[in-house]
Each structure stands twice: as C-alpha cells, then as structure tokens.
C-alpha cells in the first residue's frame, strides 16, 4: 500500500510542482501517463505530442534518479486505458494509496475529469499571480483591461519600477515597438536542441502512432528539460532581446522566429519559471545590455498578458467558451490545414505552423486570426485549430487569446475593439504582399487583396453593434464616407470570395 499517489500531467514537468510538495520517497508514487485521449481531443501537431511526451519522459527519469518511485505509463503499454481518469483508476488498483493528488490542470475539461476520478487538486503556484488575487482584482470592475492588471502586477512584483513610478516614466512602450524589419537585417537564429536518444524514441513512436497527423516532425528542436530551457533563455537574453521590442510586430517571409524568444513551450510545460524570465530581462536592462522598450515589451507579455489570460480563463470558464458575440458560423477553410492558398501572408503563417508548430504573435493575431474574424469563422472550429497546431497551446492560454483577442467572440472582455485590419496593415508590417498573387492596393476585381473587401464587409456587417464603441469611431466614419455603390460592390466581392472554392471547408 502506497502513501500518496501523485499524478503529474504533461504540462506539469516542474521539479517544485505543488503535487510533489512533501513527497515521501519511501511511501509515495508519482504517476505520469501518456494517453491517447489527450493526443486526440484536438488533432494536435505531431511536434506538440512529441514535445509533451519527451518532457514527461525526461522528467520521470530525473525523478527516478533522485530515488523517487515513478509509475510511468507509456502510450504503447498494452493495458493503457487511453484516458487520464482510466490511468488514475488503474494506478489506484496497483498501489492502493491513501490519497491521490495532482496540481490543478490547465484545462477545464481535464479538471472535470480529474475531480470525477476522485483526484484532490492542489493550487498551481507556478504563476506570478494567484487566482484569488486575480478574482479580487476583477471583482466589481466593469472592464477587465490587461493594461490595468499589468500595472498592478508591476507594483506588486517591483519589476521595472523606480520607487512607486514605472522605470523610464511610462508603463508601456508599445508605440516604439512597431517597426518593420528592414531589408538586410537577419535575426540571429534561436538556440535549438537536437533530439537526444530519449526524444528520438518519442519521435519514432509519434511517427508510428500518428502517421497521418498534422505537422512535420523533422527539425524538432524544442527544449525538453529545465537545463535546456535555461540555455534557451540565456541565448535569447544575450542575442535577441535587444531587438525584441523594435521588431515585435514585424513579419518577414522565410523568417519564422525573428527576434521572438520561443520560450512559450518551456514556460507552459513548466520547464522555466515566469519569474526567472522576467528577472533575467530586467537584469539585462539594468546592466545596459538591452533597451527599455525591448525589456518592458517582453516583461509585459509574461507578467501582463500571460498572467491576465490565465486569471480570465479560470474566472470565466466554462461559460466563456460558449459565447459567440458576433454570431460567426462559417466552417474552417481547408487551407488552414494545408497552407494552400494564393494569399501569401496566410500561406506563409500556416506553412511555418505546419513545419515548426510555431508562429509568432502577430501572425496568430493579424493573419490567421484576422482572416477568421473578418470571414466570420465559427469560434469553436477556430479555437480547436489554435489548440491543435501550436506546440505551446494549452487551453488556459490559448482560449482567451483566440476566442477573446483574435475573434472578439467574448464580446469585448479581452479586447476593447476587434483586431480587424485590411491588407494595408499586413503590407505595412511585412514583405508578404510583394510576392502575393493579389494586389494589396485593390479592393475590387479578380486581383484585389481579399482582406480589403472582407474588412469593409466586416465593418458594415457589425456597424450597429460597434456604434457605441468609441474605439470604432474612425472605421465607422470611413464606412459612412464610402460611396454606397462602391460599398455594395465591395460587399458583393467579399460574399463571392467567401462562397468560392478558395475558402471551401476542410479538415486535417
Ligand atoms: P515572445 O514573443 O517571445 O513572447 C514572450 C513570452 O510572452 C511568450 O513565450 C509567452 O509566454 C508570453 N506571451 C506573449 N504574448 C502572450 C499572450 N498574448 N498571451 C499569453 N502569453 C503571451 N500563447 C501560448 O503560450 N499558447 C497559446 O496557445 C497561444 N495561442 C494564441 C492564439 C492567438 C490567436 C494569439 C493571438 C496568441 C496566442 N498566444 C499563445 C500568445 C502568443 O502568440 C505566444 O505566446 C507567442 O507567440 C509564443 O512565442 P514566443 O515564445 O516566441 O513569444
Ligand atoms: C497535450 C497533452 C498530450 C498530447 N498528451 C498528454 C498525455 O499523454 N498525458 C498528459 O498527462 N497530458 C498530456 N497533454 C496535456 C493535457 O492534454 C492537458 O493539456 C493538461 O493536462 C492540462 O494541464
Ligand atoms: Fe495577404 Fe493581401 Fe498582402 Fe496577399 S496582398 S499578402 S492576401 S495582405
């Protein structure tokens, strides 16, 4: 008979995890389980499955080397039930523990399954803001704006503070962070980690069990241990953080990573702590190794956005996922899986997603997200796509970003206005339009950039809803100024495009 059975989930590979607090190596057992149900609830990118399994296996080996009793159920175990609840039940029968505990999972669905299986859930303390603090912050507020949450977090943590004032006199340097990548600038490549023997075994397993799954396994190079994640952080701080701010919103053909950190997988799996990332960035600024606009921009993403979306997810779920404020119902086009579209910006973002299980924020928000918003794609299908295709996607962080920020399906909880843009934005921030089959300057005719007609159709379709939103005053004024005959033609063009084979529905 065991003392406590301690379940560790795939995104909980953190040595200091609450589920491991007080572990008694003589009596307790740690359970990790690779299960088919978690691999198929959305059609995950194969690199994501491999990343989770490899991180779990490395974590299990590290625990075992410290003398911890680890019960590891592999996907190929003939007795594997295929579900986390099933594996907890089997492990209970094997070990007959006094209690079963786990750290609170990162998805509502898993929370329900574990509670139903009798697992005691402990708070997840791997974040900078605890959920009670967030609830108190949110209580009684009409609007839950990230910017105000972020300022509170700066004050609470002391990060980038000069006494009671923000360092540099401003809370937010976003206005300085919107540069296009100049031609001739090549960002330094991020540190990548070639698969070791354990990861190679996982890659072979995933290739065999998911032969037709979405995404390439070639070039898998994610950090899978805390040591690797720390090396990735150090490399980012030294070589790419200094330009992170300037080119944060830029996009460039053939440059999937630019100056981004690629740290989201390590943060979300728990290989790296958000406090360590923020402290390393602040330290670089205090030593004069990175400018304030870069460091503030990076810290805001982690201390602000990442903590904010987590608080919001747990505050609003499960109702949050069921909202559809803009009544969007169109199925997901096949090109979201294949990348086969003449729209160069979309093709680039989706092909890179297929190759690397990665796209940076502006690609997710202003290319694939913007298209989904303008075209009125069904939020359930879009949310499932984002949850599937990115190696860093776990519902607590994916859903508020997709449903709220990109799709405005929550009616304006996350975003104060929809992030809707015509082709002009994409042209300003990237070089994609140069090589596109469409002409970004045109809104009408066979060569016209589809984003243009879709944008005006979107604004016209939702004009009544946005009339009271001061942040939408400018596009609405421009809509009113438009010649009615031209507007009708533009809207007809948008409708014809949406009904054309170019956006026909499809699955992976
Ligand atoms: P960097 O640009 O280097 O940023 C540094 C870190 O800040 C990231 O590693 C991440 O941990 C954090 N961060 C940045 N922006 C956000 C944000 N909006 N919300 C939360 N954390 C943020 N991020 C995920 O981690 N998982 C997701 O499933 C996810 N889905 C998204 C879906 C959409 C539609 C959008 C618009 C954004 C999504 N994001 C998601 C946020 C962001 O795009 C990714 O965190 C980022 O692209 C990861 O790459 P990076 O590590 O190079 O980030
Ligand atoms: C994403 C994922 C995958 C692909 N596989 C597993 C698994 O086999 N076992 C596991 O414990 N977790 C897995 N995960 C993560 C879960 O789907 C889910 O996102 C987390 O449990 C939420 O905390
Ligand atoms: Fe994208 Fe339009 Fe530019 Fe083509 S012209 S790359 S579709 S924004």
């Amino acid at each position: 008979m065991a003392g406590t059975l301690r379940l560790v989930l795939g995104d909980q590979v953190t040595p200091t995890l609450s589920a491991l607090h007080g572990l008694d190596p003589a009596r307790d057992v740690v359970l990790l389980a690779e299960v088919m149900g978690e691999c198929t609830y959305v059609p995950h990118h194969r690199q994501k499955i491999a990343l989770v399994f490899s991180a779990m296996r490395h974590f299990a080996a590290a625990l075992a080397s410290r003398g911890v009793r680890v019960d590891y159920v592999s996907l190929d175990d003939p007795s594997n039930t295929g579900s986390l609840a099933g594996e907890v039940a089997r492990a209970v029968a094997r070990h007959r523990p006094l209690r079963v505990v786990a750290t609170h999972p990162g998805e509502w669905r898993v929370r329900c399954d574990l509670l139903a299986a009798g697992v005691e859930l402990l708070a997840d303390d791997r974040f900078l803001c605890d959920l009670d603090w967030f609830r108190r912050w949110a209580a009684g507020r009409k609007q839950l704006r990230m910017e105000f949450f972020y300022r509170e977090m700066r004050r609470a943590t002391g990060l980038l503070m000069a006494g009671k004032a923000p360092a540099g006199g401003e809370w937010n340097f976003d206005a300085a962070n919107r540069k296009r990548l100049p031609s001739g600038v090549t960002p330094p490549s991020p540190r990548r980690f070639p698969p070791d023997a354990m990861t190679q075994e996982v890659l072979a397993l995933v290739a065999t069990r998911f032969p037709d799954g979405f995404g390439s396994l070639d070039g898998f190079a994610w950090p899978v241990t805390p040591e690797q994640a720390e090396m990735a952080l150090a490399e980012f701080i030294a070589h790419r953080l200094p330009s992170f701010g300037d080119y944060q919103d830029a996009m460039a053909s053939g440059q999937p990573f630019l100056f981004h950190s690629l740290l989201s997988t390590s943060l979300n799996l728990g290989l790296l702590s958000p406090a360590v990332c923020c402290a390393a960035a602040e330290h670089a600024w205090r030593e004069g190794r990175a400018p304030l606009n870069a460091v503030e921009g990076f810290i805001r993403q982690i201390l602000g956005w990442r903590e904010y979306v987590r608080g919001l997810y747990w505050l609003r779920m499960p109702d949050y996922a069921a909202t559809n404020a803009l009544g969007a119902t169109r199925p997901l086009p096949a090109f979201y899986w294949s990348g086969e579209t003449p729209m160069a910006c979309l093709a680039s973002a989706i092909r890179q997603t297929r190759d690397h299980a990665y796209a940076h924020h502006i690609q997710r928000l202003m290319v694939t997200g913007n298209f989904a918003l303008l075209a009125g794609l069904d939020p359930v299908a879009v949310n499932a796509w984002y949850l599937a295709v990115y190696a860093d996607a776990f519902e607590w962080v994916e859903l508020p970003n997709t449903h709220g920020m990109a799709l405005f399906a929550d009616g304006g909880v996350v975003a104060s206005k929809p992030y809707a843009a015509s082709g002009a934005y994409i042209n300003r921030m990237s070089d994609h339009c140069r090589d596109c089959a469409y002409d970004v300057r045109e809104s009408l005719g066979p060569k016209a950039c589809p984003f243009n007609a879709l944008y005006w159709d979107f604004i016209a379709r939702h004009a009544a809803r946005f009339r009271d939103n001061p942040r939408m005053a400018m596009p609405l004024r421009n809509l009113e100024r438009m010649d009615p005959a031209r507007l009708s033609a533009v809207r007809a063009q948008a409708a014809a495009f949406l009904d054309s084979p170019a956006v026909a529905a499809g699955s992976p």
Side-chain angles (χ1 to χ4, degrees):
M1 184 147 89
T4 302
L5 180 65
R6 299 171 183 272
L7 172 68
V8 173
L9 300 168
D11 58 347
Q12 297 182 342
V13 288
T14 311
T16 56
L17 193 73
S18 59
L20 302 176
H21 288 179
L23 183 143
D24 177 353
R27 301 189 64 218
D28 297 352
V29 175
V30 174
L31 172 69
L32 291 104
E34 299 171 0
V35 294
M36 207 47 158
E38 295 306 311
C39 299
T40 52
Y41 66 92
V42 289
H44 296 293
H45 195 296
R46 296 189 304 165
Q47 280 196 33
K48 179 179 176 187
I49 301 175
L51 171 65
V52 171
F53 285 10
S54 175
M56 286 170 69
R57 290 184 183 198
H58 281 87
F59 186 68
L63 285 180
S65 74
R66 287 180 12 220
V68 175
R69 283 168 70 198
V70 179
D71 186 351
Y72 195 96
V73 181
S74 77
L75 193 71
D76 274 347
D77 184 329
S79 315
N80 193 321
T81 56
S83 74
L84 290 170
E87 286 317 295
V88 167
R90 277 202 323 125
V92 166
R94 274 196 301 278
H95 304 292
R96 295 185 295 118
L98 300 171
R99 322 158 53 201
V100 186
V101 303
T103 292
H104 199 292
E107 307 203 354
W108 182 269
R109 173 187 62 80
V110 180
R111 174 186 192 266
C112 297
D113 290 351
L114 295 187
L115 287 176
V119 179
E120 192 184 318
L121 297 182
L122 308 171
D124 189 346
D125 56 11
R126 298 174 300 163
F127 291 85
L128 290 158
C129 172
D130 82 52
L131 294 175
D132 287 339
W133 194 94
F134 188 89
R135 268 187 210 104
R136 282 197 300 279
W137 173 79
R141 276 173 201 266
K142 269 220 273 235
Q143 291 186 323
L144 303 180
R145 292 286 163 253
M146 194 291 291
E147 184 61 31
F148 298 112
F149 166 78
Y150 167 59
R151 291 179 192 180
E152 290 296 323
M153 290 299 290
R154 289 271 294 276
R155 290 191 187 99
T157 58
L159 280 162
L160 292 186
M161 295 298 291
K164 289 190 172 158
E170 305 280 342
W171 291 104
N172 179 319
F173 291 85
D174 231 7
N177 290 358
R178 294 184 187 137
K179 292 199 179 90
R180 194 186 153 103
L181 190 74
S183 58
V185 171
T186 309
S189 301
R191 171 95 192 240
R192 310 289 274 156
F193 300 89
D196 62 6
M198 193 177 266
T199 303
Q200 280 173 22
E201 217 169 272
V202 166
L203 290 169
L205 170 76
V206 173
T208 309
R209 297 296 298 271
F210 305 93
D212 303 318
F214 176 76
S216 169
L217 281 170
D218 303 337
F220 179 101
W222 295 106
V224 293
T225 63
E227 295 73 23
Q228 290 182 341
E230 270 157 37
M231 283 187 242
L233 172 65
E235 177 280 333
F236 167 72
I237 299 282
H239 301 299
R240 278 168 305 119
L241 176 64
S243 297
F244 173 86
D246 285 357
Y247 305 120
Q248 197 175 347
D249 286 2
M251 296 178 276
S253 312
Q255 298 284 357
F257 310 125
L258 293 164
F259 291 92
H260 292 275
S261 71
L262 271 74
L263 291 174
S264 53
T265 56
S266 299
L267 280 161
N268 297 350
L269 293 179
L271 298 172
L272 198 59
S273 104
V276 166
C277 292
C278 292
E282 178 173 36
H283 189 59
W285 171 65
R286 295 211 183 267
E287 288 199 332
R289 288 183 281 119
L292 188 54
N293 72 308
V295 171
E296 187 283 317
F298 178 70
I299 287 180
R300 175 158 26 93
Q301 306 314 313
I302 294 177
L303 177 68
W305 280 111
R306 187 169 184 273
E307 298 290 330
Y308 165 83
V309 296
R310 173 185 183 241
L312 193 78
Y313 178 83
W314 290 111
L315 186 72
R316 293 295 176 104
M317 279 298 277
D319 299 345
Y320 188 76
T323 53
N324 187 355
L326 300 182
T329 54
R330 191 172 294 279
L332 196 75
F335 70 72
Y336 270 75
W337 298 107
S338 68
E340 276 166 31
T341 166
M343 290 178 273
C345 52
L346 278 159
S348 172
I350 295 166
R351 288 179 189 164
Q352 143 185 353
T353 298
R354 193 188 56 200
D355 292 346
H356 302 294
Y358 177 86
H360 61 74
H361 187 70
I362 289 300
Q363 294 174 302
R364 298 188 204 195
L365 183 63
M366 299 311 292
V367 179
T368 43
N370 185 28
F371 186 90
L373 171 73
L374 301 183
L377 304 187
D378 176 3
V380 173
V382 179
N383 293 333
W385 182 80
Y386 278 99
L387 192 55
V389 301
Y390 292 113
D392 59 22
F394 298 91
E395 201 181 67
W396 65 267
V397 55
E398 177 274 335
L399 191 75
N401 271 297
T402 307
H403 199 72
M405 195 183 314
L407 299 181
F408 207 75
D410 63 5
V413 179
V414 170
S416 54
K417 73 176 183 71
Y419 281 94
S422 68
Y425 175 86
I426 295 171
N427 192 30
R428 192 160 62 245
M429 297 313 300
S430 80
D431 58 0
H432 294 311
C433 303
R434 201 185 54 196
D435 302 321
C436 186
Y438 294 108
D439 186 338
V440 72
R441 292 158 306 180
E442 300 295 334
S443 297
L444 282 173
K447 282 281 178 196
C449 166
F451 277 94
N452 294 339
L454 289 175
Y455 174 78
W456 288 115
D457 184 57
F458 173 83
I459 300 292
R461 196 159 81 238
H462 297 294
R465 155 178 281 277
F466 295 138
R467 198 143 286 139
D468 296 332
N469 183 337
R471 298 205 62 205
M472 291 301 282
M474 171 101 95
L476 288 175
R477 235 184 351 261
N478 290 339
L479 181 79
E480 273 157 29
R481 283 199 201 118
M482 230 165 148
D483 170 47
R486 183 173 166 81
L487 179 60
S488 303
V490 164
R491 295 198 69 184
Q493 168 126 349
F497 173 75
L498 289 175
D499 289 338
S500 73
V503 280
S507 41

